[in-house]
């Protein structure tokens, strides 16, 4: 159960581990990132995670675009009763001022669930509707006023650069997981910057940050190794590990090469 909860949360989180997305949206270059999902012990690959972020001009004016995010996560592992299989896909649209709408589709051992989110009026916040196998015939609905949370996990897909100047910085946030409807208290600290060798890597990597995140929800605790441009190289959590697949990814420089 923990691995399912953690990986479902990870499907939102991905790249920029502590990016506080408020109005307006940060300028982000189009990118695609692919990861192996590794079991918490050993080096067995149990699945994959892919995320794409690109400017969205079909809905918004060319001069003031939003962003389209698309993600997929799939993993399976043996159990006492056969095999557990999980598939997650989402599509998220960010408006120019940070307003969010999304659709999430999940399959868990054949059972399906859909969640649809939209802005909660002009004051901000979010409404989330959920339908699927095992739910009531009428969709369940949750409302989250803007004053209850600081950001959603989707916003972590906007890469935020890291540098030596960030070491020691701690970011406190109330994080809404749109997939579970839970709000977690999170403290993310930039612990170090420089040459380091993340777990499972065969050699050290230069100019990367280690970010340690602590939360009141165990599945959100993690250690993340991030490049200067804010791309996730490796993540270690209680139930899974993520490792970047560089040859399957397209990761251009972000922030015009700035090292803020």
């Amino acid at each position: 159960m923990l691995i399912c909860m953690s990986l479902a949360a990870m499907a939102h989180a991905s790249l920029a581990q502590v990016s506080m997305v408020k109005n307006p949206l940060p300028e982000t270059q189009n990118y695609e990132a692919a990861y192996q999902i590794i079991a918490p012990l050993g080096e067995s690959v149990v699945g994959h995670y892919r995320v794409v972020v690109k400017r969205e001009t079909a809905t918004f004016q060319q001069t003031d675009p939003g962003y389209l995010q698309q993600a997929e996560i799939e993993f399976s592992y043996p159990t006492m009763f056969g095999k557990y299989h999980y598939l997650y896909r989402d599509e998220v649209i960010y408006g120019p001022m940070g307003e969010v709408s999304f659709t999430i589709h999940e399959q868990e051992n054949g059972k399906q669930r859909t969640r649809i989110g939209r802005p909660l009026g002009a004051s901000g916040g979010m409404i989330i509707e959920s339908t699927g196998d095992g739910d009531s015939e009428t969709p369940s609905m949750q409302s989250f006023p803007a004053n209850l949370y600081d950001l959603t996990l989707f916003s972590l897909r906007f890469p935020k650069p890291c540098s030596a100047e960030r070491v020691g910085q701690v970011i406190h946030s109330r994080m809404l997981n749109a997939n579970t409807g839970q709000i977690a208290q999170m403290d993310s600290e930039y612990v170090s910057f420089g040459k380091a060798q993340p777990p499972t890597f065969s050699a050290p990597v230069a100019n990367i940050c280690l970010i340690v995140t602590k939360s009141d929800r165990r599945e959100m605790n993690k250690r993340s190794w991030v490049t200067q441009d804010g791309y996730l190289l490796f993540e270690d959590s209680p139930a899974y590990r993520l490792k970047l697949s560089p040859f399957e990814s397209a990761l251009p420089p972000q922030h015009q090469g700035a090292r803020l």
Side-chain angles (χ1 to χ4, degrees):
M1 180 60 69
L2 179 59
I3 189 171
C4 179
M5 293 172 61
S6 298
L7 286 167
M10 180 270 301
H12 304 84
S14 187
L15 304 185
Q17 298 305 300
V18 289
S19 179
M20 298 290 287
V21 174
K22 293 295 185 180
N23 304 336
L25 288 175
E27 184 174 348
T28 300
Q29 302 297 317
N30 295 357
Y31 73 83
E32 180 175 356
Y35 294 87
Q36 294 178 328
I37 302 172
I38 303 173
L41 298 176
E43 297 189 16
S44 298
V45 176
V46 298
H48 69 266
Y49 170 56
R50 296 186 179 92
V51 61
V52 175
V53 175
K54 57 186 176 181
R55 285 180 176 269
E56 216 290 326
T57 57
T59 304
F60 308 105
Q61 295 180 3
Q62 180 72 30
T63 57
D64 198 16
Y67 288 90
L68 172 67
Q69 302 179 352
Q70 296 172 313
E72 178 181 283
I73 174 173
E74 185 172 19
F75 67 91
S76 61
Y77 56 85
T79 68
M80 294 178 60
F81 307 101
K83 178 180 286 189
Y84 178 89
H85 179 258
Y86 178 81
L87 175 63
Y88 168 104
R89 293 190 177 102
D90 73 36
E91 182 168 289
V92 185
I93 294 179
Y94 264 88
M97 296 305 295
E99 63 273 25
V100 181
S101 59
F102 67 86
T103 302
I104 295 172
H105 297 291
E106 288 183 293
Q107 294 182 22
E108 185 178 5
N109 284 344
K111 293 184 178 181
Q112 300 189 44
R113 179 167 54 185
T114 299
R115 285 187 172 85
I116 298 174
R118 64 181 188 274
L120 179 62
S123 61
M126 186 176 295
I127 295 175
I128 301 175
E129 297 184 44
S130 179
T131 62
D133 299 341
D135 292 342
S136 59
E137 293 184 6
T138 57
S140 63
M141 182 179 297
Q142 295 176 285
S143 297
F144 299 92
N147 63 353
L148 292 183
Y149 64 96
D150 300 310
L151 68 164
T152 71
L153 283 171
F154 297 126
S155 67
L156 300 183
R157 295 174 179 170
F158 292 104
K160 185 180 181 70
C162 75
S163 66
E165 287 74 17
R166 292 195 181 273
V167 174
Q169 180 182 3
V170 181
I171 296 180
H172 309 280
S173 60
R174 298 169 299 169
M175 188 83 68
L176 172 61
N177 184 341
N179 195 40
T180 64
Q182 297 170 336
I183 298 174
Q185 300 289 331
M186 300 181 67
D187 295 329
S188 296
E189 179 180 3
Y190 286 83
V191 174
S192 63
F193 174 83
K195 181 180 289 187
Q197 186 169 342
T200 78
F201 276 57
S202 60
V205 182
N207 299 324
I208 60 175
C209 281
L210 171 60
I211 303 171
V212 175
T213 300
K214 298 180 180 179
S215 173
D216 58 348
R217 305 197 65 85
R218 179 172 178 261
E219 67 270 15
M220 302 298 291
N221 294 330
K222 57 190 177 182
R223 296 184 300 160
S224 308
W225 286 263
V226 181
T227 71
Q228 284 182 290
D229 280 306
Y231 295 121
L232 181 68
L233 282 177
F234 189 87
E235 187 163 276
D236 189 4
S237 85
Y240 70 88
R241 292 181 291 172
L242 282 181
K243 185 175 184 179
L244 180 69
S245 300
F247 296 111
E248 299 177 29
S249 304
L251 305 176
Q254 297 286 352
H255 315 285
Q256 292 77 47
R259 298 292 180 252
L260 305 179

